[in-house]
Amino acid sequence: KAGVTQTPRYLIKTRGQQVTLSCSPISGHRSVSWYQQTPGQGLQFLFEYFSETQRNKGNFPGRFSGRQFSNSRSEMNVSTLELGDSALYLCASSVGTSGNEQFFGPGTRLTVL
Amino acid sequence: QKEVEQNSGPLSVPEGAIASLNCTYSDRGSQSFFWYRQYSGKSPELIMFIYSNGDKEDGRFTAQLNKASQYVSLLIRDSQPSDSATYLCAVNNDYKLSFGAGTTVTVRA
């Protein structure tokens, strides 16, 4: 079974721009979660989607948003990029039942200049 | 107080020894617990999950959970150089994983 895929793998943007990241979950998984990983803050939860509905959201500004499509694929968008948004953005998928194991994709490395 | 705290590293163990990793969590209502391994430059890989009090063994890995003490641990037996990585403890609440800062393990030959 194919794993979680994320595109693109690397991105370089400048301050003020916006970016869209994409995630395709494992086949049959209906939940997609997004995390940000930085050396200083570690792994932090952004949001989780199940059947196109956001079920939980982390403590990030409104510049961070996401959505999920009917085929369970998900996108996250960051508007008005700041230098501090440089990070590894990870997507994880799970079956969707509370407490289920989450499996991570390879991540998108975003660099903001 | 952080939601999930791990014992500070780095942890260096000789090849063949047992590596012991500890984690505490603050939300007493937490029900599911995970250990991820992350190699440098890679994404986290799930290696163990545990939902009930007690021990759970999978190969050279043993996870231990004590909900009364809000404590989770991971033992790596017969440590190999390939076990050198950062180990992340995660706790699931409301469809969200909260992670500890991670413990970096180095297995020296």
Side-chain angles (χ1 to χ4, degrees), chain A residues 12-103:
Chain A
I12 299 176
K13 293 286 187 178
T14 56
R15 280 179 297 175
Q17 287 187 309
Q18 76 164 25
V19 66
T20 299
L21 312 182
S22 181
C23 172
S24 292
I26 292 169
S27 177
H29 284 191
R30 297 172 63 192
S31 167
V32 173
S33 299
W34 289 89
Y35 296 85
Q36 180 196 65
Q37 188 173 32
T38 59
Q41 299 299 317
L43 260 166
Q44 292 186 290
F45 172 77
L46 282 157
F47 25 67
E48 189 264 358
Y49 289 89
F50 178 82
S51 291
E52 303 177 67
T53 300
Q54 185 182 89
R55 294 194 294 192
N56 202 345
K57 187 179 191 305
N59 295 323
F60 279 83
R63 300 185 297 107
F64 291 82
S65 62
R67 60 177 175 168
Q68 187 181 36
F69 302 97
S70 58
N71 62 358
S72 296
R73 192 177 67 85
S74 176
E75 290 182 347
M76 69 162 281
N77 184 79
V78 187
S79 62
T80 319
L81 284 166
E82 300 177 0
L83 294 178
D85 297 333
S86 294
L88 179 65
Y89 289 89
L90 292 158
C91 162
S93 79
S94 74
V95 171
T97 307
S98 179
N100 268 162
E101 307 92 84
Q102 294 187 20
F103 299 91

Side-chain angles (χ1 to χ4, degrees), chain A residues 33 35 37 43 45 48 55-56 88 90 96-106, chain B residues 32 34 36 38 41-46 49 51 88 92-97 99-100:
Chain A
S33 299
Y35 296 85
Q37 188 173 32
L43 260 166
F45 172 77
E48 189 264 358
R55 294 194 294 192
N56 202 345
L88 179 65
L90 292 158
T97 307
S98 179
N100 268 162
E101 307 92 84
Q102 294 187 20
F103 299 91
F104 283 87
Chain B
S32 50
F34 306 88
Y36 287 84
Q38 187 171 27
K42 301 294 187 183
S43 62
E45 173 193 9
L46 180 65
F49 59 90
Y51 302 141
L88 298 159
N92 190 309
N93 287 300
D94 294 330
Y95 313 109
K96 154 192 156 181
L97 285 178
F99 285 86

Side-chain angles (χ1 to χ4, degrees), chain B residues 29-58:
Chain B
S30 300
Q31 295 295 322
S32 50
F33 308 86
F34 306 88
W35 284 98
Y36 287 84
R37 176 176 63 197
Q38 187 171 27
Y39 293 113
S40 181
K42 301 294 187 183
S43 62
E45 173 193 9
L46 180 65
I47 55 172
M48 289 289 287
F49 59 90
I50 186 166
Y51 302 141
S52 304
N53 278 331
D55 295 358
K56 180 182 178 183
E57 188 174 315
D58 184 0

Side-chain angles (χ1 to χ4, degrees), chain B residues 20-87:
Chain B
S20 177
L21 307 172
N22 302 315
C23 172
T24 58
Y25 59 95
S26 61
D27 188 340
R28 187 169 287 279
S30 300
Q31 295 295 322
S32 50
F33 308 86
F34 306 88
W35 284 98
Y36 287 84
R37 176 176 63 197
Q38 187 171 27
Y39 293 113
S40 181
K42 301 294 187 183
S43 62
E45 173 193 9
L46 180 65
I47 55 172
M48 289 289 287
F49 59 90
I50 186 166
Y51 302 141
S52 304
N53 278 331
D55 295 358
K56 180 182 178 183
E57 188 174 315
D58 184 0
R60 296 184 296 108
F61 298 99
T62 299
Q64 299 172 315
L65 173 62
N66 183 325
K67 290 185 179 179
S69 300
Q70 295 174 238
Y71 173 91
V72 192
S73 67
L74 179 71
L75 297 177
I76 308 173
R77 292 184 303 281
D78 187 24
S79 295
Q80 301 297 308
S82 60
D83 295 327
S84 297
T86 296
Y87 290 81

